[in-house]
Amino acid sequence: MTEPVQTRPLGPASVEYVRLAVPDMTATIEFLSYHVGLALEEHDESHAYLRVGTEHHSVELLHEPSLSAFRYDGVGYSVDDDTVLADLEQRVRAAGHEVLPLTQGMKGLCQAGFAVRDPNGTLVELFTDFIEYAETPWPDLRPQTLVHPFIITDRYDETLAFYLDVLGFQASDYVEDFTAFLRCEDRYHHSLAVRRSDRFALEHLCFIMGDMDGVMRRRARAQYRNVKILGDVVNHSASTSIAFYLYDDQHGPRYELCDGHRIFTPAEHETHRPRRLKRDPRNIDVWRAEADDRTWAH
C-alpha cells in the first residue's frame, strides 16, 4: 500500500512548554515536583524552569506575589526546521497578525523563532532547535512528556481558524461544535484542545506518565496530601487515555496525568477525517454510567 504524500503546509512539530505566573513560586515548585513529577532546573527568586524529559523545560514559572491565583502567560511549540519556520511566519503575516520577538529568556534557548498572539491574547512562541539536556532527570515517577494544553474560550471560532488555517494544526476530532482536538506534526491525538465557553482560561495541562502504575501512584500522593481531584480515573474515548486531574489554583490549572494517548500513524495523519462526536458524557469518559451522568462536567 502506497503511503499518502504530504503536500500541505506543515504546522508546529510539538508542544514544548507553557509559561505560568504564580503568587508563590517556591510553593508551586514544591507542588509540581511532588505531585506532577517535574524536575527543577535553572531558577532564581523570580523565575524557574522545570522539565520532565530532555527538553530544556516543560513549565516556566514567573513569581508574581500580587496574584491571587495563577495566570497563563504563554505556550511554546517547536518547529522542524528553518523552512517551516519561515513559512509559518509568512502565513502569520499574510493573515494580518503581528509578528513579535521571542521573549528574552527564549532567545537563548533556541536557534531562531518568533511569537504571535492568538485571538485570546495568548503569546504563542514558535522556534527551532530547542535546547536539550543529555539525559532525562533521575526517575521519580516522572511523566514522559507534556502532551497538550486545554483552553476554554469565548472566541472559539476565531481560535480554531487561527490554529487550523494559520498555524497548520490538524483537526483530530470534534465534540459537536463545542470542543476541538487539534494535533501537531508529532501525531499525538491532540497537542491543543479548545472548548467553547463564555470566558477564556487555561483549563488543564496534560502529561503522559507512561504507565498506569505511575498514574495511580501520583493519584495516591494527591489523596495523601488532600489535593483536590477534579475528574477521577477518566477513560477518554477520543484520545484513548486513562487519566485523573489534580487541582490547586495557586499552582496552575488542573494537571491531567494519564497513561496512553493515541498517536496517529503517518498515513492516518495525512488522511484522517475528524469525527463529530455527540456532546455526551460517555464521549468524554466511556466509563460513565448513562448519558445524563454529569458527576463531573469536563
Side-chain angles (χ1 to χ4, degrees):
M1 182 176 176
T2 304
E3 290 289 315
V5 177
Q6 178 268 312
T7 58
R8 60 181 171 79
L10 291 177
S14 63
V15 62
E16 300 292 352
Y17 62 82
V18 294
R19 182 178 297 115
L20 305 174
V22 293
D24 185 340
M25 190 174 74
T26 299
T28 298
I29 289 170
E30 180 182 354
F31 180 91
L32 294 179
S33 299
Y34 184 83
H35 290 292
V36 183
L38 275 64
L40 177 64
E41 295 292 349
E42 300 173 42
H43 64 283
D44 55 29
E45 293 181 352
S46 62
H47 191 267
Y49 293 113
L50 299 97
R51 68 181 174 117
V52 295
T54 59
E55 298 84 0
H56 185 269
H57 62 279
S58 300
V59 173
E60 180 182 356
L61 295 178
L62 307 176
H63 181 51
E64 294 203 16
S66 62
L67 296 176
S68 58
F70 87 96
R71 186 183 69 221
Y72 179 35
D73 275 9
V75 61
Y77 287 92
S78 59
V79 173
D80 279 338
D81 54 40
D82 290 339
T83 300
V84 178
L85 185 69
D87 182 55
L88 279 166
E89 182 174 345
Q90 183 179 18
R91 282 145 54 189
V92 166
R93 291 185 187 278
H97 298 281
E98 182 181 6
V99 171
L100 303 169
L102 297 172
T103 55
Q104 196 60 39
M106 268 305 296
K107 289 179 180 178
L109 298 177
C110 63
Q111 286 297 102
F114 68 92
V116 59
R117 292 201 179 275
D118 76 6
N120 305 292
T122 301
L123 188 71
V124 180
E125 295 185 293
L126 301 157
F127 47 85
T128 59
D129 297 316
F130 195 32
I131 290 290
E132 296 184 48
Y133 289 87
E135 296 182 333
T136 58
W138 186 255
D140 180 24
L141 294 177
R142 301 215 187 279
Q144 292 181 336
T145 189
L146 169 67
V147 68
H148 69 255
F150 188 120
I151 63 171
I152 62 174
T153 177
D154 54 356
R155 305 192 69 181
Y156 179 79
D157 296 316
E158 300 99 308
T159 299
L160 292 192
F162 176 80
Y163 284 97
L164 291 170
D165 300 339
V166 180
L167 294 190
F169 284 64
Q170 300 295 297
S172 295
D173 287 309
Y174 297 97
V175 178
E176 296 188 17
D177 290 318
F178 182 66
T179 302
F181 299 103
L182 313 181
R183 69 185 183 276
C184 285
E185 303 300 341
D186 61 5
R187 297 183 279 108
Y188 279 107
H189 180 270
H190 53 287
S191 297
L192 175 66
V194 184
R195 190 178 73 202
R196 191 185 297 277
S197 181
D198 59 0
R199 62 189 177 90
F200 171 74
L202 174 62
E203 201 276 346
H204 73 253
L205 297 175
C206 177
F207 290 88
I208 295 176
M209 289 299 300
D211 58 39
M212 197 62 196
D213 183 70
V215 172
M216 298 310 288
R217 288 178 184 273
R218 286 286 171 203
R219 178 178 176 273
R221 287 192 179 196
Q223 291 181 312
Y224 180 69
R225 291 283 182 90
N226 295 314
V227 173
K228 290 180 183 177
I229 294 178
L230 298 178
D232 192 7
V233 194
V234 177
N235 186 346
H236 293 303
S237 61
S239 64
T240 68
S241 66
I242 298 175
F244 81 98
Y245 299 72
L246 54 89
Y247 181 57
D248 185 325
D249 67 0
Q250 298 294 301
H251 305 310
R254 301 180 191 190
Y255 290 95
E256 177 188 1
L257 302 180
C258 78
D259 174 38
H261 187 102
R262 180 181 178 184
I263 301 176
F264 286 88
T265 67
E268 289 172 332
H269 185 47
E270 300 305 327
T271 61
H272 174 74
R273 181 178 178 182
R275 296 172 294 177
R276 189 73 61 169
L277 302 173
K278 182 175 173 54
R279 190 175 168 184
D280 182 315
R282 294 169 298 180
N283 271 331
I284 302 302
D285 176 9
V286 300
W287 288 333
R288 295 286 183 92
E290 301 290 348
D292 61 353
D293 178 6
R294 299 188 180 274
T295 54
W296 177 57
H298 180 61

